[in-house]
Amino acid sequence: SPGIVSKSPPPVPELAARFIDEGAAQGVRGDLAFAQSMLETGYLRFGGIVKPSDLNFSGLGACDSCPRGLAFPSAELGVRAQIQHLYAYAAPGADPAVLARPLADVRFTAVRPYGKAPLWEQMGNGNWATGANYAEKVLGVWHAMLAFAGIPVPGPQGAGATPNLTI
């Protein structure tokens, strides 16, 4: 969006590439995870309890009554933790000991049961966020990203009306 200045320590193209790379490695939609990070960080302006220096692009560990969210030593690990947390929500057979890359998400085992939200439309209402329209907001950001790139929004996939979390 015009007029928005990113406060992300890594440049936006580098950050976006990390989402695609980490997502592809773990079988999670990196493009949708990036859209989620735009929502969670106010388009990388941050401003809430999560600071740019935390390298936490998804609000992991942040809650309405928490003083801070989680902080990561690198952008790579912050993105990886988000991707792994999404994987825990999406994959019924998720196992923190068997991941594509070393575990970065210290909250992985907090997702119970694993695989309880394999579709983006199931996010919210306590799955990742409390808001009932959380999925709608993330998908709205994703649709805007597609429109900006001149890519048509794909139709429904499988049984769900929105894309799967996993590839």
Side-chain angles (χ1 to χ4, degrees):
S1 294
I4 293 177
V5 177
S6 168
K7 294 181 181 175
S8 171
V12 175
E14 178 185 320
L15 184 62
R18 287 195 185 285
F19 274 93
I20 299 304
D21 177 63
E22 291 291 337
Q26 192 57 57
V28 170
R29 296 286 305 261
D31 58 340
L32 283 158
F34 185 74
Q36 179 187 37
S37 74
M38 294 300 102
L39 176 66
E40 289 285 347
T41 63
Y43 293 90
L44 299 172
R45 291 175 292 189
F46 296 87
I49 64 172
V50 176
K51 307 299 179 208
S53 60
D54 293 340
L55 301 170
N56 179 347
F57 304 100
S58 61
L60 273 173
C63 66
D64 295 339
S65 61
C66 301
R68 289 296 298 270
L70 296 176
F72 297 94
S74 68
E76 177 182 39
L77 292 176
V79 171
R80 183 175 301 162
Q82 179 181 349
I83 293 291
Q84 290 174 344
H85 207 69
L86 288 168
Y87 180 73
Y89 273 103
D95 182 343
V98 185
L99 294 168
R101 294 184 174 157
L103 181 66
D105 176 19
V106 298
R107 300 195 70 249
F108 192 95
T109 58
V111 178
R112 291 290 184 213
Y114 294 135
K116 67 181 179 175
L119 301 174
W120 276 98
E121 68 186 353
Q122 295 168 314
M123 298 302 272
N125 295 309
N127 291 330
W128 197 289
T130 55
N133 62 346
Y134 182 76
E136 183 180 310
K137 288 179 181 179
V138 172
L139 291 167
V141 171
W142 181 63
H143 290 163
M145 287 169 40
L146 292 176
F148 181 79
I151 300 169
V153 174
Q157 301 174 8
T162 58
N164 289 331
L165 277 171
T166 54
I167 295 173

